[in-house]
């Protein structure tokens, strides 16, 4: 996952062109995986817990559209650091929608995370940065809702929802997918759509069946640290000081929450 944002930047294409070709590649790759065991296997994948597939697929489609736009407008570090808040935000959404009990540590972590988000936003209230940050906030809400869908519908096909998400991205992006397409940019997007995104999303979906939320949160932290590193190494992108400070606060909040959950969980720890 950490390579997705740098690949978007490396493509140097418009958001709609990226969305269309990425979504198309993601859709056909996952459809191939679904069809590898025959049409009956394909039907079964979409039949079992279809509500979860629809919920998760819509969240993934909308989230990817927001993610691509956020990276294009505000850069890699801002986007992934805002998205790092997803484990805490998903817990708050679960409390609101599913009426799940929420321990006090989540409220404390949420306060820390929102402080970090405020620091990132307050110094970037104009132009492309603000627009990109708002898109990142939209991606955050979609990813949080996706986590809830995966937790609620554990038997829903992880490949099927990813495929639906890709189709949604391609359809929405189609009207503007022209004009700035070039071979090198298309190669980066196809790598993302055929290899990076489908397998990372499928593995995260499968992992959600076996890992407790705290362990999933630790994986998000790792992705958050790696993506800006790739952006600096491959593209020379240096985030502003407000992003560094706010991002550090966000990472501290979700790290503390994950650590406290690991300590209090009765589920035996499993290797990542």
């Amino acid at each position: 996952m950490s390579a997705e944002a740098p690949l978007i930047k490396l493509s140097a294409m418009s958001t709609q062109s990226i969305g269309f070709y990425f979504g198309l590649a993601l859709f056909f790759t996952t459809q191939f995986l679904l069809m590898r065991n025959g049409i009956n296997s394909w039907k079964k994948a979409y039949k079992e817990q279809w509500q979860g597939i629809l919920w998760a697929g819509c969240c993934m489609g909308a989230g990817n559209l927001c993610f691509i736009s956020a990276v294009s407008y505000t850069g890699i570090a801002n986007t992934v650091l805002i998205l790092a808040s997803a484990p805490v935000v998903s817990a708050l959404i679960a409390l609101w929608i599913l009426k799940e009990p929420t321990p006090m540590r989540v409220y404390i972590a949420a306060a820390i995370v929102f402080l970090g988000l405020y620091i990132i936003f307050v110094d970037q209230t104009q132009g492309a940065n603000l627009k990109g940050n708002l898109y990142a906030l939209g991606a955050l809400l979609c990813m949080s809702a996706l986590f809830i869908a995966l937790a609620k519908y554990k038997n829903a096909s992880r490949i099927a929802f990813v495929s639906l998400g890709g189709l949604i991205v391609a359809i929405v992006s189609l009207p503007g997918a022209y004009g700035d397409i070039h071979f090198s940019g298309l190669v980066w997007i196809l790598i993302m759509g055929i290899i990076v995104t489908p397998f990372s999303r499928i593995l995260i979906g499968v992992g959600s069946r076996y890992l407790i939320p705290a362990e999933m949160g630790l994986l998000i932290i790792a992705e958050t640290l790696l993506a800006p590193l790739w952006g600096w190494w491959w593209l020379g992108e240096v985030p502003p000081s407000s992003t560094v400070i706010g991002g550090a606060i966000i990472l501290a909040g979700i790290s503390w929450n994950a650590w406290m959950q690991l300590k209090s969980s009765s589920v035996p720890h499993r290797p990542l």
Side-chain angles (χ1 to χ4, degrees):
M1 285 178 63
S2 63
E4 290 174 352
L7 288 173
I8 290 171
K9 281 289 192 180
L10 284 169
S11 73
M13 292 164 56
S14 71
T15 56
Q16 288 186 299
S17 294
I18 293 170
F20 176 71
Y21 290 102
F22 161 74
L24 214 58
L26 182 61
F27 174 72
F28 283 115
T29 300
T30 47
Q31 285 296 302
F32 171 78
L33 294 174
L34 286 170
M35 289 290 292
R36 71 190 187 282
N37 293 325
I39 189 66
N40 289 333
S41 176
W42 182 89
K43 289 179 180 178
K44 183 180 178 181
Y46 279 101
K47 186 176 181 180
E48 186 171 9
Q49 293 195 336
W50 62 268
Q51 303 96 325
I53 294 171
L54 182 61
W55 179 354
C58 289
C59 289
M60 183 174 173
N64 277 330
L65 287 166
C66 289
F67 178 77
I68 292 168
S69 297
V71 172
S72 299
Y73 283 111
T74 197
I76 296 169
N78 273 31
T79 302
V80 297
L81 286 167
I82 291 171
L83 284 176
S85 312
V88 171
V89 174
S90 62
L92 295 177
I93 294 176
L95 168 66
W96 177 45
I97 295 178
L98 304 178
K99 309 301 182 183
E100 292 183 353
T102 302
M104 181 57 65
R105 60 173 168 76
V106 173
Y107 293 108
I108 297 172
I112 297 171
V113 163
F114 291 143
L115 173 61
L117 290 173
Y118 171 77
I119 291 172
I120 291 176
F121 273 82
V122 73
D123 199 37
Q124 302 175 39
T125 56
Q126 294 182 347
N129 276 338
L130 176 60
K131 194 172 184 178
N133 286 343
L134 291 175
Y135 275 121
L137 196 59
L140 166 63
L141 295 175
C142 291
M143 182 178 288
S144 301
L146 173 60
F147 284 169
I148 295 171
L150 294 177
K152 183 176 175 63
Y153 297 97
K154 292 186 180 296
N155 293 324
S157 170
R158 272 38 186 170
I159 302 177
F161 92 77
V162 172
S163 191
L164 176 59
L167 180 62
I168 290 171
V169 173
I171 291 173
V172 173
S173 302
L174 177 60
Y178 58 87
D180 63 343
I181 303 163
H182 50 90
F183 178 75
S184 60
L186 197 55
V187 167
W188 293 123
I189 296 307
L190 291 179
I191 290 173
M192 186 172 79
I194 295 173
I195 300 172
V196 176
T197 299
F199 291 101
S200 66
R201 295 298 189 278
I202 292 167
L203 289 172
I204 284 176
V206 172
S208 67
R209 292 172 174 166
Y210 306 103
L211 298 176
I212 61 175
E215 291 170 324
M216 294 295 290
L218 292 174
L219 292 176
I220 295 294
I221 295 170
E223 190 266 341
T224 303
L225 294 173
L226 285 172
L229 176 62
W230 304 145
W232 169 76
W233 188 9
W234 299 347
L235 301 163
E237 183 177 297
V238 179
S241 58
S242 60
T243 298
V244 174
I245 296 169
I249 293 172
I250 291 171
L251 290 176
I254 60 174
S255 299
W256 177 80
N257 180 59
W259 173 248
M260 293 300 292
Q261 185 175 4
L262 284 173
K263 285 179 63 177
S264 63
S265 176
S266 60
V267 179
H269 180 68
R270 297 170 292 275
L272 295 180

